[in-house]
Amino acid sequence: MKVVSIVGARPQLVKLGAVAQAFAGTEHHHVVVHTGQHYDPELSDVFFTEFGIPQPDFHLGIGSGSHGAQTGAMLAAIDPILDAEQPDWVLVYGDTNSTIAGALSAVKQHLKVAHLEAGLRSFNRRMPEEHNRVLTDHCADLLLAPTDEALRHLANEGLADRAVNVGDVMVDVCFATRDRILAADRPLAGLPEGIAADEPFLVATLHRAENTDDPERLATLLTALADLPVPVALLAHPRLKAKADQFGLKLDTGAIAVGAPLPYADLVAAVLASTGVVTDSGGLQKEAYLLGRPCTTLRTETEWVETLEDDWNVLVPDPSALGPDAWRTLASRPAPQAPTRTPYGNGRAGAEVVKVLEERLA
Ligand code: UD1
């Protein structure tokens, strides 16, 4: 079986880590196409080294741009590769512009498409990720869902017969990394200056367009983080830096200590060392849950609804209400009980993906 994986943005490279490893022990031919949506080394190269993923077979070097320009450039560049490769499956990941570009190129060439992390919904039609995931699900032949909730969404949209729950590949990577860190008693690396690892601190990220692209909202969010009574390690995505610069907003203020996005193992180690997480990232909400750290999500909704149980994750759409929630483990709100359920699977989703691709091909 020949499978072409199409990836391009940071979270897809983490998921690719699990899938590439599962393919490594088989006779299947796994070809990797990197669109170049993310190109800064800390958002891209670092993951290939860290997870031992072979260098991409094709690197398209597309880079940044408006949604249309970026997606269109990817489509034009993916077309000839798929035409030449003629894979049994094209595998696309998550909900970025690289996902929809890969899916569209494949479906228009009558190649079979599998969507990993299918069925997630925020029901917020203003999010570019929601457009990408809904459109990809509806054009894919095989929907690899990470949870039962995702399966329900797909069934509600008439897609049940193409869908299967394989578990979440992020769990494979998160637990393997956690176990390596705990076994090696690995020192913390890459935390921003001003964060003392043996004192309480929060890990924060902010990059969603709905939070970064409106100057007023971004200013309010930064003020809320700066006013927290505990140091905040803000691992700043380039989009956040670019927007703060453009709007004349300072990131390094009050409780905030600014650092760069971390390699995956350093991020997991930072979350383990932290008191909690404040974020708008889907991946980080789940990682906090899996690692047993309370999370505060700066959005009106989450696709990962399982994390909301027992207040492991609390949605705070209004940044002025951030204080008590983000601080809840240390002050008024009690720490949640450890998660007892495993809604995201058992950490062997990568192997399950390969198995289902084999079965559905037959
Ligand atoms: C993209 C995904 C988002 C995902 C996120 C993970 C889409 C629509 N969005 O958002 O779903 O959660 O990746 O990180 O696909 N930039 C750099 N260096 C880079 C990449 C980007 O400086 O290597 C800057 C540029 O100013 C660029 C901006 O970040 O314009 C946004 O990058 P883009 O890839 O369009 O979207 P993300 O915000 O990264």
Side-chain angles (χ1 to χ4, degrees), residues 8-12 36-44 63-67 70-71 74 94-100 127-130 132-133 207-209 212-213 237-243 280-283:
R10 187 181 196 274
Q12 291 166 330
Q37 177 170 353
H38 284 175
Y39 42 87
D40 284 346
E42 73 257 30
L43 296 188
S44 175
S64 303
S66 69
H67 291 291
Q70 189 182 52
T71 310
M74 289 174 191
D95 54 18
T96 74
N97 290 343
S98 300
T99 316
I100 182 71
M127 290 176 68
E129 292 83 1
E130 187 75 355
N132 291 337
R133 55 172 88 102
H207 79 283
R208 294 276 179 192
T212 57
D213 291 12
H237 185 287
R239 178 186 203 107
L240 171 62
K241 284 188 151 173
K243 290 294 174 185
D280 60 2
S281 147

Side-chain angles (χ1 to χ4, degrees), residues 134 197 205 209 230 301 344:
V134 171
T205 72
V230 59
E301 69 281 308
Y344 302 113

Side-chain angles (χ1 to χ4, degrees), residues 156-176:
N156 288 342
E157 293 172 28
L159 301 172
D161 57 340
R162 296 186 226 167
V164 53
N165 182 352
V166 290
D168 185 342
V169 292
M170 298 279 283
V171 177
D172 304 21
V173 183
C174 184
F175 282 173

